[in-house]
Amino acid sequence: MAGQLKDKEAYQRLNYLYQAAHCVLSQNPENVELARFYCFTQKTIARRLVLRQDPSVKRTLCKKCCSLLIPGVTATTRQRRKNRKTRFTVVKCLLCGQSKTLLNNPDYCLWVDRPEAQLQQQKQPDRGPSVKNQPKDSDPDKSASSTPSTSTAGT
Amino acid sequence: MEEALVRATIPKDLVKVLGVESQTRSKADAFTQAFLKNSIQQHSRHDLKNMLTHKAVILSYTRPKKEKKRSSKKAKGLNARQKRAMKIFDIKPEHQKYKLFLPLHDLWRQYIIDLCSGLKPSCNPQFVQQKLLKADFHGAIITVVRSKCPSYVGTTGILVQEFKHIFKIITKEDKLKVIPKRNSVFSVEINGFVSHIYGSKFEQRASERSAKKFKVRGTIDL
C-alpha cells in the first residue's frame, strides 16, 4: 500500500515528538513550555493528516493545554469514588486545572483492543507510537504512569 | 530515621518488581523541587504585585458578576490570548545549560537514522533529502551558512522551537537566539550527510510541513 508508506514517516515523527517531550521533561522538570510545544505540534500533525493515536498516548496529554501529564510533575492522580461503588482515577493537570476522569474497571476492554481481528492490517502502525516510546533514559515517572492505580506521594 | 528512609535508594530486587529506577542525586533534587512547587497551592492574589507594576488600576465599584455554572466537563480549547500568556518560552530555560539539550540531540540522531533506515554511504542522497523534507528538526544542530544579514552567518546551535517564520536555537554559550527563516540557508549535519535547508522555502509551521506538498517555484540566489 502506498498510503502505509506515507503514514509510516508521519507516525515516526509523532513518536519522536512524544519522546522528545519526555526527554526535555526528564532533563529539567521545570521546562513545561517546551514539552507542551512538542505535544502541541504532535497534536496538530495528527489532526492535519487524520491519524488515529493509541488511547495510552492520548491519556497522557492534557486536552486543554496539550501538556504532557506525568503524575507528580505536571499532574496529580487521585482515586475517587461515586456512590460507594464505582471507582475513578482522576488525573488533574496542574497548569490549567483540566481533569480527566477514567473508570477503574479491570474487566473493561477498550475499543482498540476489541476488534483486533478486523484491524490486523492497520494494527502495526497504530501500535507503533505506544509500544516504541521507551527512550534510553527511561524516567521512573513514565513507568509509574502506565499503572492505573498509582497515588502520588503528596497525600 | 524517617529522613533516611525517604532518601534511601530502592533495593535491587524491588526495581524489577516496580519497574522504577533510582535517579541520580541531581535529577532527584530537580524532580523534588518541581513536585513541591506544583503541589503547594498558589493564590491568584500573588499576581497583584505584578499587575500593579504594569498597569494603572482604576478603583471603582463593580457589581459582583453572577457566575454561570458550566456542568460540562468537555475540554475547551484556549483562545489566543490565553495561549499567548502560557505558551511563551519563558526565560527560565534560557538559564539552563546547553548540555541539557544534548540528550535531545542524541534522540534526534537516532530518529533520523531510523527514518532513513540506516544511513549508509551507499544511500541515495535524493532519497535522504526526500525523507528530510517531512522530518522533524527539533533537536537538530543547525548552522547558518548564508544569509542576507551577515551577522547571522556562522551561528550554530540546537534547534529548540520552530515557528512559521523563525527558528529558535540555543547556542553553546547558553543563549537563546531567534533567527528568521527568510533569505538564509541552514545546514544540518547527520553523520556523513550534510544537507542544506533553504529557509525561504520552509516558511510554514512545523506541523504544516508534514501535510503540505512542496512546489518547485523559482530559484534561490544568495
Side-chain angles (χ1 to χ4, degrees):
Chain A
M1 282 197 286
Q4 187 125 3
L5 265 174
K6 202 176 179 182
D7 269 7
K8 196 188 162 195
E9 291 175 22
Y11 272 114
Q12 272 175 327
R13 187 172 176 183
L14 292 181
N15 185 20
Y16 166 72
L17 279 168
Y18 189 66
Q19 283 185 34
H22 273 294
C23 175
V24 168
L25 264 184
S26 69
Q27 289 302 314
N28 181 14
E30 300 283 327
N31 198 353
V32 186
E33 278 75 15
L34 202 52
R36 188 193 285 142
F37 178 79
Y38 291 155
C39 289
F40 176 71
T41 314
Q42 179 191 348
K43 201 174 172 180
T44 334
I45 292 170
R47 199 172 57 207
R48 275 302 306 263
L49 296 172
V50 201
L51 303 173
R52 309 272 188 277
Q53 291 195 301
D54 203 74
S56 62
V57 174
K58 286 193 286 189
R59 282 179 178 189
T60 55
L61 304 179
C62 174
K63 273 172 118 173
K64 191 175 171 184
C65 64
C66 303
S67 58
L68 197 66
L69 300 174
I70 293 175
V73 185
T74 56
T76 54
T77 317
R78 297 284 181 272
Q79 301 297 315
R80 292 272 151 78
R81 264 187 209 196
K82 263 188 188 172
N83 49 38
R84 308 279 312 272
K85 272 282 172 98
T86 46
R87 291 180 187 83
F88 292 99
T89 309
V90 180
V91 182
K92 191 177 176 188
C93 175
L94 288 172
L95 301 151
C96 60
Q98 185 71 31
S99 57
K100 281 177 184 285
T101 318
L102 304 169
L103 183 67
N104 254 352
N105 186 3
D107 306 330
Y108 184 72
C109 183
L110 275 176
W111 173 253
V112 176
D113 303 335
R114 256 185 277 165
E116 264 183 324
Q118 300 171 20
L119 297 171
Q120 205 68 52
Q121 292 166 344
Q122 293 175 30
K123 202 83 202 119
Q124 288 153 353
D126 209 356
R127 262 295 150 93
S130 63
V131 175
K132 279 194 295 182
N133 58 33
Q134 285 289 341
K136 271 168 64 181
D137 49 339
S138 59
D139 45 345
D141 325 312
K142 242 188 48 166
S143 46
S145 66
S146 59
T147 55
S149 59
T150 50
S151 59
T152 49
T155 48
Chain B
M1 173 71 199
E2 286 183 2
E3 192 75 14
L5 272 177
V6 170
R7 289 178 179 274
T9 53
I10 303 164
K12 285 218 169 157
D13 49 341
L14 274 178
V15 166
K16 281 182 185 175
V17 179
L18 296 173
V20 177
E21 287 179 34
S22 281
Q23 291 279 328
T24 52
R25 186 165 284 271
S26 58
K27 269 194 180 180
D29 276 344
F31 171 77
T32 322
Q33 287 293 335
F35 173 71
L36 281 175
K37 194 183 162 190
N38 284 331
S39 44
I40 292 168
Q41 285 190 338
Q42 286 166 348
H43 293 286
S44 52
R45 282 289 174 86
H46 289 300
D47 298 343
L48 271 178
K49 274 185 189 174
N50 206 359
M51 206 171 78
L52 284 169
T53 51
H54 290 298
K55 290 179 188 172
V57 182
I58 301 160
L59 299 171
S60 62
Y61 174 74
T62 51
R63 280 211 188 102
K65 282 179 184 173
K66 282 183 183 177
E67 282 195 15
K68 280 185 183 177
K69 266 212 167 183
R70 285 182 58 253
S71 56
S72 68
K73 278 198 175 180
K74 229 177 193 178
K76 274 184 72 181
L78 299 164
N79 60 25
R81 188 179 299 172
Q82 285 164 314
K83 274 184 189 170
R84 222 170 294 139
M86 290 171 78
K87 275 225 172 65
I88 285 175
F89 190 63
D90 58 349
I91 300 172
K92 207 170 181 243
E94 289 186 25
H95 294 305
Q96 69 174 233
K97 296 173 186 68
Y98 173 80
K99 280 180 186 174
L100 285 183
F101 280 102
L102 284 174
L104 186 68
H105 178 63
D106 291 338
L107 197 72
W108 183 79
R109 269 224 143 90
Q110 288 173 33
Y111 156 72
I112 290 294
I113 288 165
D114 247 30
L115 190 74
C116 304
S117 55
L119 271 169
K120 292 174 185 71
S122 58
C123 264
N124 189 9
Q126 283 269 314
F127 165 78
V128 176
Q129 298 255 328
Q130 280 279 324
K131 293 268 188 192
L132 279 180
L133 270 183
K134 307 267 173 184
D136 202 274
F137 285 106
H138 290 131
I141 290 186
I142 58 170
T143 316
V144 185
V145 187
R146 294 195 289 276
S147 173
K148 268 202 175 175
C149 172
S151 61
Y152 285 130
V153 177
T155 324
T156 312
I158 294 180
L159 174 65
V160 187
Q161 275 176 308
E162 182 184 345
F163 293 99
K164 191 164 181 177
H165 299 289
I166 54 168
F167 281 132
K168 279 193 178 178
I169 64 172
I170 199 156
T171 58
K172 279 193 178 167
E173 293 83 45
D174 299 347
K175 277 198 179 126
L176 192 81
K177 296 213 170 182
V178 178
I179 295 172
K181 294 181 188 180
R182 188 166 289 177
N183 298 328
S184 51
V185 184
F186 305 94
S187 79
V188 176
E189 196 268 330
I190 320 127
N191 51 1
F193 283 91
V194 177
S195 77
H196 289 240
I197 296 169
Y198 291 92
S200 307
K201 297 279 176 195
F202 256 60
E203 277 197 289
Q204 48 198 251
R205 285 196 185 84
S207 50
E208 297 283 300
R209 193 152 40 78
S210 64
K212 271 188 182 172
K213 278 185 181 170
F214 279 89
K215 292 186 178 75
V216 182
R217 193 190 298 146
T219 51
I220 306 123
D221 41 348
L222 275 171

